[in-house]
mmCIF file of all heavy atoms in Angstrom:
data_model
loop_
_atom_site.group_PDB
_atom_site.id
_atom_site.type_symbol
_atom_site.label_atom_id
_atom_site.label_comp_id
_atom_site.label_asym_id
_atom_site.label_seq_id
_atom_site.Cartn_x
_atom_site.Cartn_y
_atom_site.Cartn_z
ATOM 1 N N GLU A 1445 -5.910 -0.984 6.526
ATOM 2 C CA GLU A 1445 -7.054 -0.626 5.582
ATOM 3 C C GLU A 1445 -6.542 -0.803 4.175
ATOM 4 O O GLU A 1445 -5.356 -0.438 3.898
ATOM 5 C CB GLU A 1445 -7.479 0.840 5.700
ATOM 6 C CG GLU A 1445 -8.061 1.200 7.099
ATOM 7 C CD GLU A 1445 -8.349 2.635 7.157
ATOM 8 O OE1 GLU A 1445 -7.510 3.454 6.941
ATOM 9 O OE2 GLU A 1445 -9.629 2.996 7.435
ATOM 10 N N TYR A 1446 -7.399 -1.320 3.372
ATOM 11 C CA TYR A 1446 -7.004 -1.710 1.956
ATOM 12 C C TYR A 1446 -7.979 -0.993 0.964
ATOM 13 O O TYR A 1446 -9.195 -1.186 1.186
ATOM 14 C CB TYR A 1446 -6.892 -3.155 1.764
ATOM 15 C CG TYR A 1446 -6.645 -3.709 0.271
ATOM 16 C CD1 TYR A 1446 -5.375 -4.136 0.033
ATOM 17 C CD2 TYR A 1446 -7.515 -3.599 -0.714
ATOM 18 C CE1 TYR A 1446 -4.926 -4.598 -1.208
ATOM 19 C CE2 TYR A 1446 -7.189 -3.942 -1.928
ATOM 20 C CZ TYR A 1446 -5.936 -4.463 -2.237
ATOM 21 O OH TYR A 1446 -5.610 -4.962 -3.514
ATOM 22 N N ARG A 1447 -7.510 -0.297 0.001
ATOM 23 C CA ARG A 1447 -8.416 0.350 -0.933
ATOM 24 C C ARG A 1447 -7.938 0.023 -2.388
ATOM 25 O O ARG A 1447 -6.739 0.033 -2.557
ATOM 26 C CB ARG A 1447 -8.300 1.834 -0.740
ATOM 27 C CG ARG A 1447 -8.801 2.430 0.531
ATOM 28 C CD ARG A 1447 -8.456 3.931 0.636
ATOM 29 N NE ARG A 1447 -9.049 4.521 1.828
ATOM 30 C CZ ARG A 1447 -8.402 4.459 3.217
ATOM 31 N NH1 ARG A 1447 -7.278 3.849 3.197
ATOM 32 N NH2 ARG A 1447 -9.031 4.975 4.095
ATOM 33 N N GLY A 1448 -8.923 -0.312 -3.242
ATOM 34 C CA GLY A 1448 -8.472 -0.525 -4.613
ATOM 35 C C GLY A 1448 -8.616 -2.061 -4.948
ATOM 36 O O GLY A 1448 -9.202 -2.930 -4.288
ATOM 37 N N LEU A 1449 -7.990 -2.398 -6.014
ATOM 38 C CA LEU A 1449 -7.938 -3.747 -6.619
ATOM 39 C C LEU A 1449 -6.660 -3.996 -7.341
ATOM 40 O O LEU A 1449 -6.487 -3.812 -8.430
ATOM 41 C CB LEU A 1449 -9.131 -3.861 -7.561
ATOM 42 C CG LEU A 1449 -9.566 -5.261 -8.004
ATOM 43 C CD1 LEU A 1449 -10.013 -6.149 -6.870
ATOM 44 C CD2 LEU A 1449 -10.592 -5.164 -9.034
ATOM 45 N N ALA A 1450 -5.790 -4.641 -6.637
ATOM 46 C CA ALA A 1450 -4.454 -4.967 -7.202
ATOM 47 C C ALA A 1450 -4.382 -6.402 -7.733
ATOM 48 O O ALA A 1450 -5.165 -7.324 -7.468
ATOM 49 C CB ALA A 1450 -3.343 -4.858 -6.067
ATOM 50 N N ASP A 1451 -3.260 -6.495 -8.586
ATOM 51 C CA ASP A 1451 -2.888 -7.832 -9.110
ATOM 52 C C ASP A 1451 -1.466 -8.018 -8.647
ATOM 53 O O ASP A 1451 -0.564 -7.620 -9.387
ATOM 54 C CB ASP A 1451 -3.023 -7.822 -10.662
ATOM 55 C CG ASP A 1451 -2.524 -9.180 -11.211
ATOM 56 O OD1 ASP A 1451 -2.144 -10.091 -10.468
ATOM 57 O OD2 ASP A 1451 -2.580 -9.406 -12.394
ATOM 58 N N PRO A 1452 -1.274 -8.615 -7.475
ATOM 59 C CA PRO A 1452 0.084 -8.678 -6.910
ATOM 60 C C PRO A 1452 1.066 -9.479 -7.823
ATOM 61 O O PRO A 1452 2.315 -9.241 -7.732
ATOM 62 C CB PRO A 1452 0.028 -9.467 -5.655
ATOM 63 C CG PRO A 1452 -1.493 -9.222 -5.270
ATOM 64 C CD PRO A 1452 -2.236 -9.186 -6.506
ATOM 65 N N ASP A 1453 0.543 -10.372 -8.672
ATOM 66 C CA ASP A 1453 1.488 -11.101 -9.542
ATOM 67 C C ASP A 1453 2.037 -10.248 -10.653
ATOM 68 O O ASP A 1453 3.121 -10.566 -11.222
ATOM 69 C CB ASP A 1453 0.697 -12.366 -10.196
ATOM 70 C CG ASP A 1453 0.457 -13.421 -9.229
ATOM 71 O OD1 ASP A 1453 1.164 -13.493 -8.192
ATOM 72 O OD2 ASP A 1453 -0.567 -14.135 -9.447
ATOM 73 N N ASN A 1454 1.373 -9.121 -11.004
ATOM 74 C CA ASN A 1454 1.841 -8.313 -12.124
ATOM 75 C C ASN A 1454 2.027 -6.854 -11.789
ATOM 76 O O ASN A 1454 2.774 -6.200 -12.453
ATOM 77 C CB ASN A 1454 0.772 -8.402 -13.272
ATOM 78 C CG ASN A 1454 0.616 -9.726 -13.820
ATOM 79 O OD1 ASN A 1454 1.520 -10.268 -14.484
ATOM 80 N ND2 ASN A 1454 -0.550 -10.417 -13.630
ATOM 81 N N ASP A 1455 1.446 -6.309 -10.688
ATOM 82 C CA ASP A 1455 1.717 -5.005 -10.339
ATOM 83 C C ASP A 1455 2.997 -4.809 -9.514
ATOM 84 O O ASP A 1455 3.461 -5.710 -8.940
ATOM 85 C CB ASP A 1455 0.553 -4.396 -9.370
ATOM 86 C CG ASP A 1455 -0.700 -4.342 -10.143
ATOM 87 O OD1 ASP A 1455 -0.801 -4.624 -11.399
ATOM 88 O OD2 ASP A 1455 -1.875 -4.320 -9.485
ATOM 89 N N GLU A 1456 3.612 -3.608 -9.644
ATOM 90 C CA GLU A 1456 4.846 -3.348 -8.917
ATOM 91 C C GLU A 1456 4.434 -2.958 -7.479
ATOM 92 O O GLU A 1456 3.678 -2.096 -7.174
ATOM 93 C CB GLU A 1456 5.540 -2.121 -9.549
ATOM 94 C CG GLU A 1456 6.844 -1.702 -8.745
ATOM 95 C CD GLU A 1456 7.416 -0.443 -9.392
ATOM 96 O OE1 GLU A 1456 6.949 0.076 -10.398
ATOM 97 O OE2 GLU A 1456 8.515 -0.093 -8.885
ATOM 98 N N LEU A 1457 5.066 -3.583 -6.487
ATOM 99 C CA LEU A 1457 4.923 -3.233 -5.073
ATOM 100 C C LEU A 1457 5.865 -2.156 -4.753
ATOM 101 O O LEU A 1457 7.070 -2.289 -4.901
ATOM 102 C CB LEU A 1457 5.169 -4.556 -4.201
ATOM 103 C CG LEU A 1457 5.176 -4.275 -2.713
ATOM 104 C CD1 LEU A 1457 3.790 -3.897 -2.244
ATOM 105 C CD2 LEU A 1457 5.680 -5.544 -1.987
ATOM 106 N N VAL A 1458 5.327 -1.123 -4.160
ATOM 107 C CA VAL A 1458 6.047 0.009 -3.609
ATOM 108 C C VAL A 1458 5.770 0.145 -2.069
ATOM 109 O O VAL A 1458 4.556 0.233 -1.829
ATOM 110 C CB VAL A 1458 5.723 1.379 -4.361
ATOM 111 C CG1 VAL A 1458 6.522 2.454 -3.813
ATOM 112 C CG2 VAL A 1458 5.829 1.097 -5.917
ATOM 113 N N VAL A 1459 6.813 0.138 -1.326
ATOM 114 C CA VAL A 1459 6.635 0.199 0.156
ATOM 115 C C VAL A 1459 7.176 1.585 0.661
ATOM 116 O O VAL A 1459 8.261 1.917 0.460
ATOM 117 C CB VAL A 1459 7.267 -0.936 0.924
ATOM 118 C CG1 VAL A 1459 7.126 -0.768 2.394
ATOM 119 C CG2 VAL A 1459 6.659 -2.265 0.451
ATOM 120 N N ARG A 1460 6.238 2.267 1.478
ATOM 121 C CA ARG A 1460 6.607 3.556 2.030
ATOM 122 C C ARG A 1460 6.640 3.247 3.589
ATOM 123 O O ARG A 1460 5.516 2.952 4.098
ATOM 124 C CB ARG A 1460 5.708 4.638 1.687
ATOM 125 C CG ARG A 1460 5.975 5.949 2.415
ATOM 126 C CD ARG A 1460 4.720 6.895 2.005
ATOM 127 N NE ARG A 1460 4.830 8.115 2.580
ATOM 128 C CZ ARG A 1460 5.094 9.285 1.870
ATOM 129 N NH1 ARG A 1460 5.249 9.249 0.554
ATOM 130 N NH2 ARG A 1460 5.211 10.496 2.546
ATOM 131 N N GLY A 1461 7.773 3.219 4.265
ATOM 132 C CA GLY A 1461 7.823 2.946 5.669
ATOM 133 C C GLY A 1461 8.659 1.672 5.880
ATOM 134 O O GLY A 1461 9.534 1.306 5.108
ATOM 135 N N ASP A 1462 8.204 0.907 7.013
ATOM 136 C CA ASP A 1462 9.160 -0.101 7.428
ATOM 137 C C ASP A 1462 8.364 -1.411 7.597
ATOM 138 O O ASP A 1462 7.473 -1.509 8.488
ATOM 139 C CB ASP A 1462 9.853 0.305 8.804
ATOM 140 C CG ASP A 1462 10.879 -0.622 9.182
ATOM 141 O OD1 ASP A 1462 10.854 -1.864 8.885
ATOM 142 O OD2 ASP A 1462 11.847 -0.176 9.719
ATOM 143 N N LEU A 1463 8.565 -2.385 6.741
ATOM 144 C CA LEU A 1463 7.889 -3.640 6.836
ATOM 145 C C LEU A 1463 8.158 -4.338 8.136
ATOM 146 O O LEU A 1463 7.258 -4.900 8.811
ATOM 147 C CB LEU A 1463 8.201 -4.596 5.649
ATOM 148 C CG LEU A 1463 7.703 -4.197 4.245
ATOM 149 C CD1 LEU A 1463 8.329 -5.240 3.293
ATOM 150 C CD2 LEU A 1463 6.176 -4.308 4.257
ATOM 151 N N ALA A 1464 9.435 -4.340 8.573
ATOM 152 C CA ALA A 1464 9.832 -5.023 9.768
ATOM 153 C C ALA A 1464 9.069 -4.459 11.033
ATOM 154 O O ALA A 1464 8.787 -5.216 11.914
ATOM 155 C CB ALA A 1464 11.273 -4.967 9.891
ATOM 156 N N LYS A 1465 8.959 -3.211 11.064
ATOM 157 C CA LYS A 1465 8.214 -2.544 12.213
ATOM 158 C C LYS A 1465 6.720 -2.599 12.132
ATOM 159 O O LYS A 1465 6.042 -2.236 13.033
ATOM 160 C CB LYS A 1465 8.664 -1.117 12.367
ATOM 161 C CG LYS A 1465 10.087 -0.843 12.764
ATOM 162 C CD LYS A 1465 10.471 0.516 12.902
ATOM 163 C CE LYS A 1465 11.882 0.807 13.347
ATOM 164 N NZ LYS A 1465 12.188 2.287 13.441
ATOM 165 N N ARG A 1466 6.217 -3.031 11.027
ATOM 166 C CA ARG A 1466 4.811 -3.105 10.710
ATOM 167 C C ARG A 1466 4.122 -1.760 10.813
ATOM 168 O O ARG A 1466 3.013 -1.618 11.298
ATOM 169 C CB ARG A 1466 4.047 -4.112 11.652
ATOM 170 C CG ARG A 1466 4.692 -5.558 11.507
ATOM 171 C CD ARG A 1466 3.878 -6.599 12.327
ATOM 172 N NE ARG A 1466 4.697 -7.845 12.276
ATOM 173 C CZ ARG A 1466 5.157 -8.388 13.368
ATOM 174 N NH1 ARG A 1466 5.060 -7.913 14.574
ATOM 175 N NH2 ARG A 1466 5.898 -9.554 13.267
ATOM 176 N N GLU A 1467 4.803 -0.800 10.271
ATOM 177 C CA GLU A 1467 4.294 0.589 10.054
ATOM 178 C C GLU A 1467 4.698 1.034 8.683
ATOM 179 O O GLU A 1467 5.719 1.521 8.428
ATOM 180 C CB GLU A 1467 4.925 1.533 11.174
ATOM 181 C CG GLU A 1467 4.596 1.215 12.544
ATOM 182 C CD GLU A 1467 5.204 2.063 13.610
ATOM 183 O OE1 GLU A 1467 5.978 3.004 13.123
ATOM 184 O OE2 GLU A 1467 4.984 1.908 14.783
ATOM 185 N N PHE A 1468 3.761 0.870 7.773
ATOM 186 C CA PHE A 1468 4.021 1.210 6.331
ATOM 187 C C PHE A 1468 2.766 1.379 5.520
ATOM 188 O O PHE A 1468 1.613 1.150 6.055
ATOM 189 C CB PHE A 1468 4.877 0.075 5.871
ATOM 190 C CG PHE A 1468 4.239 -1.268 5.681
ATOM 191 C CD1 PHE A 1468 3.466 -1.676 4.695
ATOM 192 C CD2 PHE A 1468 4.303 -2.185 6.818
ATOM 193 C CE1 PHE A 1468 2.798 -2.829 4.566
ATOM 194 C CE2 PHE A 1468 3.617 -3.392 6.767
ATOM 195 C CZ PHE A 1468 2.860 -3.812 5.592
ATOM 196 N N ILE A 1469 2.987 1.888 4.346
ATOM 197 C CA ILE A 1469 1.977 1.905 3.393
ATOM 198 C C ILE A 1469 2.497 1.109 2.203
ATOM 199 O O ILE A 1469 3.574 1.262 1.733
ATOM 200 C CB ILE A 1469 1.573 3.321 2.900
ATOM 201 C CG1 ILE A 1469 1.098 4.198 4.123
ATOM 202 C CG2 ILE A 1469 0.469 3.330 1.841
ATOM 203 C CD1 ILE A 1469 0.937 5.693 3.833
ATOM 204 N N ALA A 1470 1.638 0.166 1.755
ATOM 205 C CA ALA A 1470 2.007 -0.607 0.520
ATOM 206 C C ALA A 1470 1.175 -0.065 -0.660
ATOM 207 O O ALA A 1470 -0.018 0.056 -0.523
ATOM 208 C CB ALA A 1470 1.763 -2.143 0.805
ATOM 209 N N PHE A 1471 1.780 0.157 -1.750
ATOM 210 C CA PHE A 1471 1.148 0.623 -2.937
ATOM 211 C C PHE A 1471 1.386 -0.479 -4.001
ATOM 212 O O PHE A 1471 2.461 -1.104 -4.042
ATOM 213 C CB PHE A 1471 1.685 1.956 -3.523
ATOM 214 C CG PHE A 1471 1.528 3.113 -2.600
ATOM 215 C CD1 PHE A 1471 2.582 3.552 -1.784
ATOM 216 C CD2 PHE A 1471 0.334 3.807 -2.650
ATOM 217 C CE1 PHE A 1471 2.463 4.536 -0.906
ATOM 218 C CE2 PHE A 1471 0.215 4.943 -1.812
ATOM 219 C CZ PHE A 1471 1.225 5.305 -0.917
ATOM 220 N N TRP A 1472 0.397 -0.687 -4.896
ATOM 221 C CA TRP A 1472 0.633 -1.499 -5.981
ATOM 222 C C TRP A 1472 0.417 -0.623 -7.286
ATOM 223 O O TRP A 1472 -0.645 0.128 -7.388
ATOM 224 C CB TRP A 1472 -0.467 -2.631 -6.066
ATOM 225 C CG TRP A 1472 -0.078 -3.682 -5.105
ATOM 226 C CD1 TRP A 1472 0.613 -4.854 -5.235
ATOM 227 C CD2 TRP A 1472 -0.399 -3.734 -3.665
ATOM 228 N NE1 TRP A 1472 0.773 -5.617 -4.099
ATOM 229 C CE2 TRP A 1472 0.048 -4.867 -3.088
ATOM 230 C CE3 TRP A 1472 -1.078 -2.863 -2.768
ATOM 231 C CZ2 TRP A 1472 -0.017 -5.296 -1.733
ATOM 232 C CZ3 TRP A 1472 -1.337 -3.166 -1.390
ATOM 233 C CH2 TRP A 1472 -0.732 -4.392 -0.957
ATOM 234 N N LEU A 1473 1.404 -0.551 -8.079
ATOM 235 C CA LEU A 1473 1.539 0.311 -9.254
ATOM 236 C C LEU A 1473 1.514 -0.352 -10.525
ATOM 237 O O LEU A 1473 2.244 -1.331 -10.739
ATOM 238 C CB LEU A 1473 2.906 1.147 -9.034
ATOM 239 C CG LEU A 1473 3.041 2.315 -9.816
ATOM 240 C CD1 LEU A 1473 1.964 3.473 -9.520
ATOM 241 C CD2 LEU A 1473 4.416 2.967 -9.521
ATOM 242 N N ARG A 1474 0.776 0.200 -11.465
ATOM 243 C CA ARG A 1474 0.716 -0.395 -12.836
ATOM 244 C C ARG A 1474 0.616 0.725 -13.849
ATOM 245 O O ARG A 1474 -0.365 1.456 -13.904
ATOM 246 C CB ARG A 1474 -0.539 -1.351 -12.986
ATOM 247 C CG ARG A 1474 -0.604 -2.095 -14.297
ATOM 248 C CD ARG A 1474 -1.936 -2.828 -14.430
ATOM 249 N NE ARG A 1474 -2.305 -3.487 -13.218
ATOM 250 C CZ ARG A 1474 -3.595 -3.831 -12.893
ATOM 251 N NH1 ARG A 1474 -4.609 -3.485 -13.672
ATOM 252 N NH2 ARG A 1474 -3.841 -4.461 -11.748
ATOM 253 N N GLY A 1475 1.657 0.819 -14.674
ATOM 254 C CA GLY A 1475 1.674 1.815 -15.715
ATOM 255 C C GLY A 1475 1.522 3.144 -15.099
ATOM 256 O O GLY A 1475 0.874 4.098 -15.748
ATOM 257 N N GLY A 1476 2.106 3.519 -13.934
ATOM 258 C CA GLY A 1476 2.045 4.795 -13.289
ATOM 259 C C GLY A 1476 0.745 5.020 -12.524
ATOM 260 O O GLY A 1476 0.506 6.214 -12.015
ATOM 261 N N GLU A 1477 -0.215 4.066 -12.559
ATOM 262 C CA GLU A 1477 -1.450 4.193 -11.810
ATOM 263 C C GLU A 1477 -1.445 3.329 -10.571
ATOM 264 O O GLU A 1477 -1.026 2.227 -10.545
ATOM 265 C CB GLU A 1477 -2.562 3.751 -12.760
ATOM 266 C CG GLU A 1477 -3.933 3.777 -12.210
ATOM 267 C CD GLU A 1477 -5.007 3.261 -13.097
ATOM 268 O OE1 GLU A 1477 -5.416 4.005 -14.033
ATOM 269 O OE2 GLU A 1477 -5.532 2.136 -12.878
ATOM 270 N N VAL A 1478 -1.877 3.942 -9.467
ATOM 271 C CA VAL A 1478 -2.041 3.233 -8.183
ATOM 272 C C VAL A 1478 -3.311 2.411 -8.261
ATOM 273 O O VAL A 1478 -4.421 2.858 -8.197
ATOM 274 C CB VAL A 1478 -2.162 4.158 -7.042
ATOM 275 C CG1 VAL A 1478 -2.217 3.339 -5.767
ATOM 276 C CG2 VAL A 1478 -0.835 5.057 -6.947
ATOM 277 N N THR A 1479 -3.052 1.093 -8.315
ATOM 278 C CA THR A 1479 -4.273 0.222 -8.388
ATOM 279 C C THR A 1479 -4.776 -0.108 -6.984
ATOM 280 O O THR A 1479 -6.054 -0.410 -6.853
ATOM 281 C CB THR A 1479 -3.884 -1.145 -9.168
ATOM 282 O OG1 THR A 1479 -2.813 -1.780 -8.341
ATOM 283 C CG2 THR A 1479 -3.375 -0.952 -10.583
ATOM 284 N N ALA A 1480 -4.000 -0.036 -6.053
ATOM 285 C CA ALA A 1480 -4.470 -0.350 -4.620
ATOM 286 C C ALA A 1480 -3.437 0.202 -3.609
ATOM 287 O O ALA A 1480 -2.161 0.386 -3.957
ATOM 288 C CB ALA A 1480 -4.630 -1.870 -4.425
ATOM 289 N N ALA A 1481 -3.796 0.496 -2.474
ATOM 290 C CA ALA A 1481 -3.052 0.954 -1.382
ATOM 291 C C ALA A 1481 -3.476 0.425 -0.079
ATOM 292 O O ALA A 1481 -4.656 0.393 0.187
ATOM 293 C CB ALA A 1481 -3.000 2.495 -1.268
ATOM 294 N N MET A 1482 -2.558 0.009 0.816
ATOM 295 C CA MET A 1482 -2.911 -0.551 2.064
ATOM 296 C C MET A 1482 -2.058 0.144 3.131
ATOM 297 O O MET A 1482 -0.759 0.137 3.128
ATOM 298 C CB MET A 1482 -2.648 -2.075 2.162
ATOM 299 C CG MET A 1482 -3.150 -2.664 3.511
ATOM 300 S SD MET A 1482 -3.186 -4.462 3.620
ATOM 301 C CE MET A 1482 -1.413 -4.810 3.714
ATOM 302 N N ASN A 1483 -2.628 0.793 4.131
ATOM 303 C CA ASN A 1483 -1.942 1.393 5.230
ATOM 304 C C ASN A 1483 -1.971 0.438 6.453
ATOM 305 O O ASN A 1483 -2.982 -0.094 6.821
ATOM 306 C CB ASN A 1483 -2.493 2.701 5.647
ATOM 307 C CG ASN A 1483 -3.944 2.757 5.799
ATOM 308 O OD1 ASN A 1483 -4.790 2.378 4.932
ATOM 309 N ND2 ASN A 1483 -4.455 3.214 6.939
ATOM 310 N N VAL A 1484 -0.781 0.151 7.012
ATOM 311 C CA VAL A 1484 -0.615 -0.731 8.146
ATOM 312 C C VAL A 1484 -0.054 0.088 9.341
ATOM 313 O O VAL A 1484 1.049 0.529 9.217
ATOM 314 C CB VAL A 1484 0.300 -1.885 7.680
ATOM 315 C CG1 VAL A 1484 0.615 -2.755 9.022
ATOM 316 C CG2 VAL A 1484 -0.289 -2.714 6.536
ATOM 317 N N ASN A 1485 -0.916 0.189 10.343
ATOM 318 C CA ASN A 1485 -0.536 0.980 11.547
ATOM 319 C C ASN A 1485 -0.049 2.387 11.271
ATOM 320 O O ASN A 1485 0.772 2.950 11.941
ATOM 321 C CB ASN A 1485 0.554 0.161 12.390
ATOM 322 C CG ASN A 1485 -0.073 -1.080 13.019
ATOM 323 O OD1 ASN A 1485 -1.183 -1.135 13.209
ATOM 324 N ND2 ASN A 1485 0.948 -1.978 13.411
ATOM 325 N N VAL A 1486 -0.591 2.921 10.104
ATOM 326 C CA VAL A 1486 -0.357 4.365 9.766
ATOM 327 C C VAL A 1486 -1.750 4.876 9.434
ATOM 328 O O VAL A 1486 -2.423 4.406 8.463
ATOM 329 C CB VAL A 1486 0.630 4.399 8.426
ATOM 330 C CG1 VAL A 1486 0.685 5.901 8.059
ATOM 331 C CG2 VAL A 1486 1.928 3.838 8.814
ATOM 332 N N TRP A 1487 -2.102 5.985 10.117
ATOM 333 C CA TRP A 1487 -3.459 6.419 10.069
ATOM 334 C C TRP A 1487 -3.741 7.876 9.621
ATOM 335 O O TRP A 1487 -4.857 8.237 9.549
ATOM 336 C CB TRP A 1487 -4.029 6.204 11.364
ATOM 337 C CG TRP A 1487 -3.906 4.822 12.013
ATOM 338 C CD1 TRP A 1487 -3.136 4.397 12.950
ATOM 339 C CD2 TRP A 1487 -4.558 3.621 11.483
ATOM 340 N NE1 TRP A 1487 -3.277 3.038 13.112
ATOM 341 C CE2 TRP A 1487 -4.111 2.586 12.211
ATOM 342 C CE3 TRP A 1487 -5.524 3.365 10.429
ATOM 343 C CZ2 TRP A 1487 -4.496 1.205 11.992
ATOM 344 C CZ3 TRP A 1487 -5.945 2.067 10.217
ATOM 345 C CH2 TRP A 1487 -5.495 1.047 10.987
ATOM 346 N N ASP A 1488 -2.689 8.507 9.161
ATOM 347 C CA ASP A 1488 -2.877 9.922 8.780
ATOM 348 C C ASP A 1488 -3.200 10.218 7.340
ATOM 349 O O ASP A 1488 -3.341 11.319 6.921
ATOM 350 C CB ASP A 1488 -1.570 10.708 9.251
ATOM 351 C CG ASP A 1488 -1.448 10.721 10.794
ATOM 352 O OD1 ASP A 1488 -2.399 10.571 11.499
ATOM 353 O OD2 ASP A 1488 -0.262 10.814 11.184
ATOM 354 N N ASP A 1489 -3.028 9.104 6.488
ATOM 355 C CA ASP A 1489 -3.164 9.441 5.020
ATOM 356 C C ASP A 1489 -4.300 8.827 4.337
ATOM 357 O O ASP A 1489 -4.314 8.635 3.064
ATOM 358 C CB ASP A 1489 -1.801 8.889 4.369
ATOM 359 C CG ASP A 1489 -0.573 9.638 4.968
ATOM 360 O OD1 ASP A 1489 -0.502 10.867 4.820
ATOM 361 O OD2 ASP A 1489 0.278 8.993 5.484
ATOM 362 N N GLY A 1490 -5.334 8.399 5.088
ATOM 363 C CA GLY A 1490 -6.461 7.834 4.443
ATOM 364 C C GLY A 1490 -7.066 8.382 3.266
ATOM 365 O O GLY A 1490 -7.305 7.909 2.260
ATOM 366 N N GLU A 1491 -7.318 9.777 3.378
ATOM 367 C CA GLU A 1491 -7.951 10.525 2.327
ATOM 368 C C GLU A 1491 -7.103 10.654 1.097
ATOM 369 O O GLU A 1491 -7.504 10.488 -0.040
ATOM 370 C CB GLU A 1491 -8.416 11.899 2.781
ATOM 371 C CG GLU A 1491 -9.521 11.948 3.788
ATOM 372 C CD GLU A 1491 -10.744 11.244 3.162
ATOM 373 O OE1 GLU A 1491 -11.130 11.572 2.090
ATOM 374 O OE2 GLU A 1491 -11.424 10.401 3.917
ATOM 375 N N ALA A 1492 -5.778 10.742 1.388
ATOM 376 C CA ALA A 1492 -4.859 10.883 0.220
ATOM 377 C C ALA A 1492 -4.801 9.433 -0.452
ATOM 378 O O ALA A 1492 -4.639 9.430 -1.811
ATOM 379 C CB ALA A 1492 -3.465 11.240 0.705
#
């Protein structure tokens, strides 16, 4: 699931979890603000 509107060329990518296992949350961060978040095979944090 993907929420938000990121600019991958300029936002900082922050990964929580394991890319290799395909179980992670990717955040895109700009000036301390989360511009977008994508949860991959992780389902407990949607509301957060």
Side-chain angles (χ1 to χ4, degrees):
E1445 296 176 304
Y1446 180 104
R1447 297 169 175 85
L1449 190 63
D1451 177 2
D1453 289 336
N1454 296 295
D1455 295 348
E1456 178 186 0
L1457 173 66
V1458 180
V1459 176
R1460 179 188 180 108
D1462 193 327
L1463 289 175
K1465 292 182 178 179
R1466 302 184 189 120
E1467 294 179 359
F1468 63 91
I1469 301 172
F1471 297 95
W1472 285 267
L1473 193 61
R1474 185 188 313 159
E1477 178 183 287
V1478 177
T1479 60
M1482 185 173 75
N1483 50 302
V1484 175
N1485 289 340
V1486 175
W1487 306 108
D1488 296 334
D1489 298 302
E1491 289 303 312

